[in-house]
Amino acid sequence: MSNVSSPRVINIGLAGLGNVGAGVFKNLEKNRALISQRIGAELRITRVAVRDLARPRDIEVPNELLTTDWRELVNDPAIPVIVELIGGTTTAYEMVAAALRAKKIVVTGNKALLAERGKELFALAEEFGVPIYFEAAVAGGIPIIQVLQEGLVGNHIRSIHGIINGTCNYILTRMSQAGLSYTDALGEAQEKGYAEADPTLDVSGWDAAHKAIILASLSYGFWIPQDKVHVEGVDRVSITDFKFASRLGYTIKLLSVIRADENGLVEVRTQPTLVPLSHVLAGQDPTSSSVISDLCEAAAVLMHGARHSGFVPHGLYGKSKPVDDTVSHYYLRLTVDDVPGVLAQVATVLGERGIGISSMIQPEDLEDTSGETSLVLMIHDARLGDMKSALAAICQLKCVRGEPSWMRVETLQG
Ligand SMILES: NC(=O)c1ccc[n+]([C@@H]2O[C@H](COP(=O)([O-])OP(=O)(O)OC[C@H]3O[C@@H](n4cnc5c(N)ncnc54)[C@H](OP(=O)(O)O)[C@@H]3O)[C@@H](O)[C@H]2O)c1
């Protein structure tokens, strides 16, 4: 590794001075003395790459530190640690790969980059003998990555369930508690700064899915391919579904589920899910604190010797479960003609595919007078593939109007 001879001052190249980068810069300045005392080295940012030098910033950064060329950081022999906080998967990939080839430790908060190209990057890290730290990529402020890498290394992880996107959680909570429509809840989240102007990555479910890929890969020792992950967004959740869910004792969350079955097949999915009301699973500074804790790790490596690359593949698992084979309970809401015999027709379609109904509601106070009504079914364990086939057939029934609304149900009991 370069520049390890005098590690009392550790020079850092910071790429990106946006929400997170500015927080890292500010908090490193603010806590310089404390960090120095704790780790026995001074973390000093000596170069900062941005896209636009003229952009007004909330923090003061000496002009001589700034550059628009990230290569100046990577090519500087006096910098042994590069922090990537520019986001995206193209320039960020180029930069991280170049930094690893130059044997520099990388710290990143970029979940999209790791989810898409983690396999290649960790292979490079292994080849060049330098680690990538990425605590900030998932659940800023909570050391979940380190826990999976080290704390639980001797454990077999059966499953992980979690709500790992704050924007979607805010939107769904406001829909549930204030009765807002999806569009109004999203608008409010944007107004309050909880959602980006372009919220696509969040509301599509992909931000949470990127994090789930990272957690699953660490848990099961092989890098989960993105195309094996099932992802659904929150935009199709309606207030009506919240009303029915609540009657049934559930609420709706964007839940990420990671689970290995007894044959070692791993499923990773993120989707709006009914979870029991009694089991509601519980920005800048938390994320920057994760980056800074990674920088302290980097300092320890520079001073005391190398550790693992950040992700070590092992052969215990290795296969993703085909998504159509994943099994769960389902909630299904149909808009149907208000005539006798409808339930029997729907039950027949489900029964032909071996799918059983565990309960049914058709509340009168939620009906209207248009001759149609809602039929809500709770469904026993069903394969996704069978559910899809049943839904296609249900849509063909003359008594069924419009698109069915359906979601998985997780009891969260192991
Ligand atoms: N925001 C969060 O709460 C959060 C939480 C966890 C993880 N993350 C991750 O952290 C990363 C950064 O997020 P952010 O919210 O801080 O992003 P951001 O506010 O959009 O900031 C991006 C920064 O990167 C700079 N930049 C962009 N392209 C560049 C290039 N080609 N060369 C040099 N600099 C470039 C921008 O420069 P200018 O300032 O000149 O435009 C800006 O300072 C992302 O990967 C994100 O997923 C964010």
Side-chain angles (χ1 to χ4, degrees), residues 16-21 49-52 55 57 68 70 84-88 91 109-111 136-137 283-284 287:
L17 206 53
N19 286 318
V20 184
V50 294
R51 192 170 26 198
D52 178 4
R55 181 187 291 275
R57 305 195 186 269
T68 53
W70 57 263
E84 183 278 305
L85 292 169
I86 66 175
T91 308
N110 193 335
K111 55 228 145 190
Q284 177 184 46
T287 307

Side-chain angles (χ1 to χ4, degrees), residues 187-209:
E188 187 183 280
Q190 284 173 314
E191 230 168 74
K192 295 195 168 183
Y194 301 142
E196 303 283 337
D198 177 4
T200 316
L201 203 60
D202 288 319
V203 299
S204 67
W206 270 105
D207 177 81

Side-chain angles (χ1 to χ4, degrees), residues 290-314:
S290 296
V291 173
I292 291 172
S293 101
D294 279 349
L295 285 171
C296 295
E297 279 291 314
V301 167
L302 288 169
M303 291 188 295
H304 310 300
R307 304 174 65 190
H308 64 73
S309 62
F311 170 70
V312 184
H314 63 66

